[in-house]
Amino acid sequence: MLSVILLGTGNVAQHLYNVLAALDTVNLKQVYGRNTEALSYFKNIAVTNNPDHILNADVYLIAVKDDAIKAVSQLLLKKNGIVAHTSGAAPLAHIKTSNSGVFYPLQSFTKGKKVDFSTIPFCIEGSNNKTEETLLELARKLSSKVYTISSDQRKTIHLAAVLANNFSNHLFTIASSICQENKVPFAILHPLISETVEKIKHISPREAQTGPAKRKDVLTMQSHLNQLENPLHKKIYQLLSESIIHTYEEKL
């Protein structure tokens, strides 16, 4: 049975704790974090905010902000276990131990929102074959979608994920604020959003594109711009419309 220690107390650490603690095939031994108050989330398990009290384990999963990964990995230089971070953007080289790896769950984690780990893709990388195989073994206990991905590939995946998830969610935020300002329920858009996501499971996003920019409906686009009062929102609308128009001109 693999023994695991989590380092971090944020969203990713909490979600990993929830799923790992429920497994009979993994021994989740401890959670380390600097914030004593945040450590109170982790029940029925050893916790510590003292680096000298970190226990020995087969795998150490660092689930902290990217700019803290190097510093946290330095705390584990004398440990023999595998040290892996959970970041989508940070390279493998950020880990400063000999047995280093990446254990990246490709999902957006929100505090208090439960996720089904069995559907989450895991991107795995190891500094050597044995390390990689151990991390693959651990990931397969959580998900059926496990991939060996290099740091360069993961960097590309993370960029694509930001565009697909973070940017689209920001557009939802803008759309929601426009609805709220005009006393229209944002929920009226839910079926449209759901259909958009469902559709691109079966055809490419390029094929699924609709709307005034694709049709080059100048009058409608100008009407939309006139309705937008926020200058930044106008710029976003114009830039995205220009990108859509350019994309479909390329096809001609």
Side-chain angles (χ1 to χ4, degrees), residues 2-188:
L2 285 174
S3 58
V4 178
I5 289 177
L6 278 175
L7 296 97
T9 56
N11 283 335
V12 175
Q14 289 183 8
H15 280 84
L16 284 172
Y17 160 78
N18 291 338
V19 69
L20 289 170
L23 289 178
D24 294 331
T25 53
V26 172
N27 175 19
L28 184 59
K29 296 180 68 173
Q30 186 184 47
V31 176
Y32 164 82
R34 294 183 301 174
N35 188 323
T36 304
E37 185 177 347
L39 283 171
S40 65
Y41 176 88
F42 304 92
K43 310 294 185 182
N44 303 316
I45 189 173
V47 297
T48 184
N49 63 354
N50 187 337
D52 295 331
H53 294 168
I54 296 174
L55 302 174
N56 293 321
D58 297 317
V59 179
Y60 298 85
L61 295 179
I62 299 177
V64 298
K65 293 180 180 179
D66 287 7
D67 57 6
I69 291 173
K70 289 181 182 179
V72 174
S73 73
Q74 294 279 359
L75 305 177
L76 304 169
L77 291 176
K78 295 182 180 180
K79 300 295 184 182
N80 294 322
I82 295 167
V83 179
H85 69 65
T86 59
S87 167
L92 175 64
H94 273 22
I95 302 291
K96 298 303 179 183
T97 61
S98 56
N99 289 328
S100 57
V102 177
F103 191 81
Y104 171 49
L106 179 51
Q107 184 54 276
S108 173
F109 294 100
T110 301
K111 189 174 183 180
K113 175 67 169 62
K114 188 176 180 179
V115 296
D116 181 1
F117 268 84
S118 68
T119 67
I120 295 176
F122 273 81
C123 300
I124 302 300
E125 185 178 9
S127 57
N128 56 66
N129 290 338
K130 185 177 180 181
T131 293
E132 195 161 272
E133 282 302 317
T134 300
L135 292 175
L136 287 168
E137 177 189 347
L138 178 59
R140 288 176 184 134
K141 295 179 185 296
L142 306 180
S143 173
S144 60
K145 300 179 179 181
V146 180
Y147 305 88
T148 302
I149 301 290
S150 70
S151 286
D152 286 342
Q153 289 173 318
R154 185 164 36 82
K155 189 176 179 181
T156 300
I157 291 170
H158 192 260
L159 168 60
V162 167
L163 289 166
N165 176 253
N166 302 148
F167 286 5
S168 63
N169 190 73
H170 182 63
L171 292 176
F172 297 154
T173 301
I174 295 172
S176 178
S177 68
I178 291 171
C179 287
Q180 186 176 5
E181 289 164 6
N182 292 275
K183 296 181 172 58
V184 176
F186 179 64
I188 202 168

Side-chain angles (χ1 to χ4, degrees), residues 168-234:
S168 63
N169 190 73
H170 182 63
L171 292 176
F172 297 154
T173 301
I174 295 172
S176 178
S177 68
I178 291 171
C179 287
Q180 186 176 5
E181 289 164 6
N182 292 275
K183 296 181 172 58
V184 176
F186 179 64
I188 202 168
L189 298 179
H190 287 177
L192 175 65
I193 294 168
S194 296
E195 173 61 17
T196 301
V197 174
E198 187 61 31
K199 190 160 44 177
I200 61 174
K201 295 178 183 178
H202 307 286
I203 60 176
S204 72
R206 181 176 182 134
E207 291 174 299
Q209 186 70 55
T210 61
K214 184 185 178 184
R215 299 191 303 268
K216 290 189 179 179
D217 184 346
V218 176
L219 289 177
T220 298
M221 288 189 287
Q222 188 57 55
S223 174
H224 289 167
L225 286 169
N226 292 340
Q227 291 178 70
L228 290 168
E229 297 179 0
N230 187 311
L232 190 54
H233 294 173
K234 285 181 182 287

